[in-house]
Coordinates of all heavy atoms in Angstrom, one line a residue:
R223 N -4.3 30.0 86.7 CA -4.4 29.8 85.3 C -5.2 28.5 85.0 O -6.0 28.5 84.2 CB -3.0 29.7 84.7 CG -3.0 29.5 83.2 CD -1.6 29.1 82.6 NE -1.2 27.8 83.1 CZ -1.7 26.6 82.6 NH1 -2.6 26.6 81.7 NH2 -1.2 25.5 83.1
Q224 N -4.9 27.5 85.8 CA -5.6 26.2 85.6 C -7.1 26.3 85.9 O -7.9 25.8 85.2 CB -4.9 25.1 86.4 CG -3.6 24.7 85.9 CD -2.9 23.7 86.8 OE1 -3.5 23.1 87.7 NE2 -1.6 23.4 86.5
L225 N -7.4 27.0 87.0 CA -8.8 27.2 87.3 C -9.5 28.0 86.2 O -10.6 27.7 85.8 CB -8.9 28.0 88.6 CG -8.6 27.2 89.9 CD1 -8.6 28.1 91.1 CD2 -9.7 26.1 90.1
G226 N -8.9 29.1 85.7 CA -9.5 29.9 84.6 C -9.7 29.0 83.4 O -10.8 29.1 82.8
E227 N -8.7 28.2 83.0 CA -8.9 27.4 81.8 C -10.0 26.3 82.0 O -10.8 26.0 81.1 CB -7.6 26.7 81.5 CG -6.6 27.6 80.8 CD -5.3 26.9 80.4 OE1 -5.2 25.7 80.6 OE2 -4.5 27.6 79.8
R228 N -10.1 25.8 83.2 CA -11.1 24.8 83.5 C -12.5 25.4 83.4 O -13.5 24.8 82.9 CB -10.9 24.1 84.9 CG -11.9 23.1 85.2 CD -11.6 22.3 86.4 NE -12.6 21.3 86.6 CZ -12.7 20.6 87.7 NH1 -11.8 20.8 88.7 NH2 -13.7 19.7 87.8
L229 N -12.7 26.6 84.0 CA -14.0 27.2 84.1 C -14.4 27.9 82.8 O -15.5 27.9 82.4 CB -14.0 28.3 85.2 CG -13.9 27.7 86.6 CD1 -13.8 28.8 87.6 CD2 -15.1 26.8 87.0
Y230 N -13.4 28.5 82.1 CA -13.7 29.4 80.9 C -13.0 29.0 79.6 O -13.2 29.7 78.6 CB -13.4 30.9 81.3 CG -14.0 31.3 82.5 CD1 -13.3 31.6 83.7 CD2 -15.4 31.4 82.6 CE1 -13.9 32.0 84.9 CE2 -16.1 31.8 83.8 CZ -15.3 32.1 84.9 OH -15.9 32.5 86.0
G231 N -12.2 28.0 79.6 CA -11.5 27.6 78.4 C -10.2 28.3 78.3 O -9.8 29.2 79.1

Side-chain angles (χ1 to χ4, degrees):
R223 185 192 63 77
Q224 290 175 9
L225 285 170
E227 285 184 359
R228 181 171 181 191
L229 294 173
Y230 304 114

